[in-house]
Amino acid sequence: MIETFTYEALPIRVRFGRGTIAEAGAEVARLGASRALVLTTPQQAGEGERLGSLLGPAFAGLFSGATMHTPVAVTQEAILALHAAGADCVVSLGGGSTTGLGKALALRTGVRQLCIPTTYAGSEMTPILGETRDGRKTTIRSLDVLPEAVIYDVDLTVGLPPALSATSGVNAIAHAVEALYAKDRNPVISLMAQDAIRTLSSALPILVHEPDNMEARGMALHGAWLAGCCLGAVGMALHHKLCHTLGGTFDLPHAETHTIVLPHAVAYNAPAAPEAMAAITRAIGAPDAAQGLFDLVRVLGVPRALKDIGMPAEGIETAADLAAENPYWNPRPVTRDGVRDLIARAYAGERPGARVSAEEAA
């Protein structure tokens, strides 16, 4: 059977390897820029200063206020810093929080971006920005926020604590998983998604026990790049809607939320996406996609319950209401009762399960 599909490659330059951060100055020049504002979280300010020394005369300053969920108030502070520095580009060093801030600046000012990821978030490969205002997280998709260039340096991930390696990696797996049953999926992205899941699920258990294993580090970063390409190329579904809702409403840690929710979202969608489930089981080497992902999280030794990362019990009903409002496209219809059951399981840390209504079964 010949499948009809659309595949659109994104205009982004990628440099991958070890020690590649040394090429940051050359990449800034390639962008046609001469004054770079380095962005980091407060915890990575020291790394930002060291990057500044590598940039030399192109280093215009450091803004180290990036934080989770890209609050609009922080973006407004960063715009002032950008103008004060006279910067004509930003260099985002860190994970999804820093990358998100760079995208928010690009959206509002048109500034060019070089991303240097230090986690497996994958957002550096996407034209997607999620930002938070008044406790509500919204998402936009626009080429205006797509970074022009990315440097992947495997050496920069060595300092990731094992738990953060694990949750950041499962967050990346989530991008690939949802790409397999996306409404606009295509064969190219599906191949990348399967390889990303296979690579990450193989590398992460090694990294938990051997954080300095450079071969596994390289595999994980390569898998995260593939997963980021998936996230950037096709739409996401229920899992991402839930995680944005939970994270923005209850200020939950991003990667941990994705890690906990993913097996439950997969279980919910399993009846409606058998081909995607078969691809996931092949990639992770398990007989059931949702159970296999849950067991992967268990092996990694990271939280499996939303209650353990700060979600209040009374938030289950609130989250169900919000997730059912204007839901993303999803292979299985999104019902409030079904989503509430999913969230309740994830809150308690139970093994995933899917309940199919009589109407759906018919």
Side-chain angles (χ1 to χ4, degrees):
M1 178 179 177
I2 298 176
E3 181 180 356
T4 299
F5 66 90
T6 299
Y7 171 69
E8 184 175 347
L10 295 174
I12 187 168
R13 172 181 164 85
V14 172
R15 188 79 172 99
F16 190 103
R18 293 190 62 182
T20 45
I21 192 173
E23 301 171 23
E27 291 297 332
V28 167
R30 184 182 287 273
L31 293 177
S34 60
R35 291 185 61 77
L37 178 67
V38 174
L39 307 176
T40 72
T41 62
Q43 295 80 9
Q44 290 185 296
E47 287 89 339
E49 292 287 358
R50 285 189 284 275
L51 173 57
S53 66
L54 291 175
L55 292 173
F59 181 44
L62 170 69
F63 181 84
S64 60
T67 190
M68 289 192 308
H69 309 304
T70 318
V72 172
V74 173
T75 299
Q76 291 169 341
E77 292 177 19
I79 290 174
L80 295 177
L82 181 76
H83 292 324
D88 55 5
C89 78
V90 292
V91 181
S92 304
L93 176 69
S97 297
T98 308
T99 300
L101 177 59
K103 289 179 173 183
L105 292 175
L107 179 67
R108 289 165 172 80
T109 70
V111 71
R112 286 158 288 183
Q113 303 172 75
L114 166 64
C115 288
I116 307 177
T118 60
T119 70
Y120 307 130
S123 57
E124 66 279 351
M125 293 302 300
T126 78
I128 303 167
L129 168 64
E131 55 184 3
T132 305
R133 185 194 299 268
D134 299 327
R136 295 293 293 268
K137 191 167 187 177
T138 58
T139 302
I140 68 163
R141 178 182 285 264
S142 169
L143 288 178
D144 291 339
V145 305
L146 181 71
E148 284 77 12
V150 176
I151 292 177
Y152 287 104
D153 188 337
V154 177
D155 293 343
L156 298 181
T157 67
V158 174
L160 274 178
L164 184 53
S165 293
T167 56
S168 180
V170 177
N171 179 23
I173 289 174
H175 307 328
V177 163
E178 292 227 299
L180 288 170
Y181 52 67
K183 184 178 183 180
D184 52 352
R185 63 189 179 277
N186 64 71
V188 176
I189 293 301
S190 292
L191 285 172
M192 296 176 76
Q194 290 181 69
D195 198 31
I197 297 167
R198 178 189 58 80
T199 303
L200 283 159
S201 63
S202 298
L204 295 178
I206 298 173
L207 291 182
V208 167
H209 300 290
E210 302 175 39
D212 296 328
N213 187 312
M214 294 309 296
E215 182 177 355
R217 286 277 172 207
M219 289 173 59
L221 193 59
H222 185 265
W225 165 62
L226 290 172
C229 291
C230 295
L231 176 65
V234 297
M236 297 287 105
L238 175 62
H239 169 80
H240 282 75
K241 171 69 173 184
L242 278 177
C243 290
H244 285 167
T245 297
L246 293 166
T249 304
F250 305 110
D251 197 30
L252 304 182
H254 181 82
E256 287 86 343
T257 303
H258 277 268
T259 298
I260 293 166
V261 170
L262 180 59
H264 301 278
V266 168
Y268 184 93
N269 281 327
E275 292 184 5
M277 298 304 123
I280 296 168
T281 59
R282 288 194 299 269
I284 63 177
D288 179 85
Q291 303 299 329
L293 289 168
F294 185 82
D295 288 336
L296 172 64
V297 174
R298 179 179 55 80
V299 167
L300 296 177
V302 293
R304 286 174 281 162
L306 292 172
K307 65 181 181 181
D308 294 336
I309 62 169
M311 180 176 167
E314 59 272 17
I316 294 174
E317 302 298 335
T318 301
D321 289 337
L322 292 173
E325 292 178 2
N326 303 314
Y328 292 6
W329 179 89
N330 195 62
R332 178 183 170 190
V334 175
T335 66
R336 188 197 181 280
D337 288 346
V339 170
R340 188 211 173 279
D341 180 60
L342 187 166
I343 296 170
R345 286 178 181 271
Y347 174 82
E350 298 174 1
R351 292 195 72 86
R355 296 176 186 173
V356 183
S357 69
E359 291 182 0
E360 290 178 284

